Amino acid sequence: MDPFVGWFQEEQEGPALRTWCKIWETNAHEMSQLLEQQNQQLQQQQLQGGNKLNNGALSARDRDSIQLLLQFGGNLRHNLNNNNGNNGNGNGNSNNSSGNTSSNNSIDSTSNNDSSHSHTPATTPGEPTTLNTKMPSHERTSYYNPSRRKIGRIVDNKASTYNLNKHMNNLISKYKGCPWRVPDFGYGRGVVGLHQEIEQFYNYVLPTPTEHAIRNEVVQRIEAVVHSIWPSALVEIFGSFRTGLFLPTSDIDLVVIGLWDKMPLRTLETELIARGIAEPHSVRVLDKASVPIIKLTDRETQVKVDISFNMQSGVQSAELIKKYKQEFPLLAKLVLVLKQFLLQRDLNEVFTGGISSYSLILMCISFLQLHPRQVHADTDNLGVLLLEFFELYGRKFNYMKIGISIKNGGRYIPKEDLQRDMIDGHRPSLLCIEDPLTPGNDIGRSSYGALQVKQAFEYAYLMLSQAVSPLNNWANDCTERSILGRIIRITDDVIDYREWIREHFEHLVITRHSPVASLGTPSSGNVVGNTTKYMQIQLLPSAMLPAGAITAQQQQMHLMPHLYHQSQQQQQANAVLNSMRHRRGSTSSGDDSEDSKECDADSTSPTATSGTTVNMATTANIHSVTRMDT
């Protein structure tokens, strides 16, 4: 596995790792010297007006290739020097909380230490980059793979752990990368502990009421802009926000439905910038894509938005996914873990060399439909299912000959049969997924990086299968070290971003004197005579929240715990007064109602999942997915 996509595990640290890093460094040093010589020859010939190297014609593509290789070779030596320096201190991969704080930039940003070690001066923003100046962050070694890191494209992904081996202290030093783990929780060993971690991860990444409210606010502002231009247009939400399968940094997918002779991409782009919805540098119009869209980042909330036109199939696809969520209750938990796995490796979008979220969800649905065991939400182990998913699509699935279909209960189809139904003479892609709504359409036709996703799935299977093995007493102790954390980490940027949202946008959920809902809690210092002013709290109705999100009762406890407890005390006091007034027993109906509320809250809390009965996985269960016949 590419060490820039994965990372060194704790058991891999030691003299052998340091030795191989030195060997790698030596080879990189020799390669960089050779490339520097070739680049000097190229520059000399350019100064002399020649365009040939080694008596051969040198095209623009050759020059770009040499420049890219030179950047890779020269900076790889610097990266490995940093790794060896860390390893020399004992543990180059330890979560060192040395006071480094996470920046609000993406993983592409480098630390101040990188600047201090560089032998070239830094360039100012917007200044063109040459070989004699410091490269911008998006052209550095962590993006050396030309098939996934195109020169000139800036990647803004707060969740990215790309090249974690080098940037660990800058990415996860503050919160250690596993914030879903509950302190002093009694984790089981092996797949039981992995199951418990997946449950806790799912509860951690579920959207809070504030995170849901800011997305509704963004949608309303964009909808107002659209209606100001085209009053009769219709704005619909689709994608992960509609299905509830979105991560804290996921974007919002919107479709504008109306009548136009030509897609008004530039018109809407201009108006969004003029209204202050987005900064000009954050807006991109992809008018050459198979589905033309406008990509932007909301100026106030930093939420990303994708806007398309007249793509009604997106809404239908979202409704289809919601139907399968009801049929397979474990689908949401499995999908969110896999989405985070791909997101942090920049494999979550087609144009970065990954696969789309829709393709991933259809793969999960097919996996559950065709599972050799009947999947039960109450008894199945999520850890076993995750391992089996990685094993199927990382090691066993025949991408060359087999396509996926979820229609009519799901099946695997030979690509030759699918090709007969393809429109315009298209051939099935490597990752071939039949569109359940549009006959003849291949959902995975643009996923040119599907093999990289397959490689990542295989890597995850190897890492997890080693950790859950009953023979590995050191790694399968989930109480001492995270098993899910071997393949998934949440960066400090993401955690800080969620906290920033909570601090700055809680007013979207909590409003004073709102007629919507009331906790019945007197606000301090506002008692005038016998009249008490009450603080009103606007709670999002459960229908607006995705399945499994925080309920209204939990919103009260989560957002304003002091007011919630004051409300409890006030209601208990009122109950006592009523009982004394009517000369009844000490137990009141108010207390009974509060007990029932506490029981309801306990039943939806994350710790309630620890009592769920799970199947103790055996080696046969982990390897139960059969190989596809070729």
Side-chain angles (χ1 to χ4, degrees), residues 286-302:
L286 306 181
D287 52 356
K288 303 299 182 183
S290 57
V291 179
I293 61 173
I294 301 174
K295 300 181 73 70
L296 62 95
T297 302
D298 181 65
R299 182 175 56 84
E300 293 184 11
T301 63
Q302 299 302 304

Side-chain angles (χ1 to χ4, degrees), residues 274-346:
R275 296 288 188 93
I277 301 297
E279 298 291 346
H281 63 83
S282 72
V283 182
R284 288 186 297 164
V285 177
L286 306 181
D287 52 356
K288 303 299 182 183
S290 57
V291 179
I293 61 173
I294 301 174
K295 300 181 73 70
L296 62 95
T297 302
D298 181 65
R299 182 175 56 84
E300 293 184 11
T301 63
Q302 299 302 304
V303 173
K304 297 179 178 61
V305 184
D306 290 352
I307 305 175
S308 58
F309 289 85
N310 289 343
M311 292 296 298
Q312 300 185 20
S313 60
V315 179
Q316 299 172 357
S317 300
E319 294 301 318
L320 179 68
I321 292 173
K322 290 167 68 174
K323 181 179 75 73
Y324 280 109
K325 281 180 62 180
Q326 296 178 353
E327 182 178 349
F328 300 105
L330 297 180
L331 177 64
K333 298 176 182 179
L334 194 61
V335 165
L336 285 183
V337 171
L338 293 169
K339 287 186 70 172
Q340 175 67 28
F341 175 82
L342 295 180
L343 172 65
Q344 67 182 64
R345 290 165 173 82
D346 295 325

Side-chain angles (χ1 to χ4, degrees), residues 104 174-175 208-211 214 300 495-510 558-559:
N104 288 328
K174 189 175 180 181
Y175 304 107
T208 64
T210 305
E211 291 171 348
I214 65 170
E300 293 184 11
I495 301 173
D496 288 337
Y497 173 65
R498 299 189 77 181
E499 179 63 20
W500 177 77
I501 288 175
R502 188 192 65 80
E503 292 178 354
H504 290 81
F505 299 99
E506 207 170 57
H507 65 276
L508 297 177
V509 180
I510 303 176
H558 174 70
L559 294 175

Side-chain angles (χ1 to χ4, degrees), residues 380-436:
D380 266 274
N381 187 301
L382 286 166
V384 174
L385 290 176
L386 183 63
L387 271 166
E388 291 172 340
F389 180 91
F390 285 139
E391 183 184 30
L392 173 62
Y393 291 113
R395 309 193 79 178
K396 292 187 173 182
F397 189 79
N398 189 344
Y399 289 88
M400 301 302 295
K401 296 184 178 182
I402 302 298
I404 298 172
S405 174
I406 67 168
K407 294 194 299 186
N408 302 322
R411 58 178 179 145
Y412 294 131
I413 311 176
K415 287 187 177 181
E416 291 80 4
D417 296 343
L418 284 174
Q419 187 172 1
R420 289 196 293 266
D421 299 329
M422 291 289 179
I423 57 177
D424 299 331
H426 290 170
R427 299 182 61 185
S429 59
L430 181 62
L431 175 60
C432 182
I433 305 175
E434 183 185 23
D435 192 333

Side-chain angles (χ1 to χ4, degrees), residues 93-106:
N93 220 18
S94 62
N95 295 333
N96 180 18
S97 56
S98 57
N100 293 329
T101 58
S102 173
S103 66
N104 288 328
N105 298 326
S106 66

Side-chain angles (χ1 to χ4, degrees), residues 75-87:
N75 286 273
L76 180 60
R77 175 178 53 189
H78 164 65
N79 294 350
L80 291 174
N81 279 332
N82 285 348
N83 283 345
N84 285 338
N86 291 335
N87 288 335

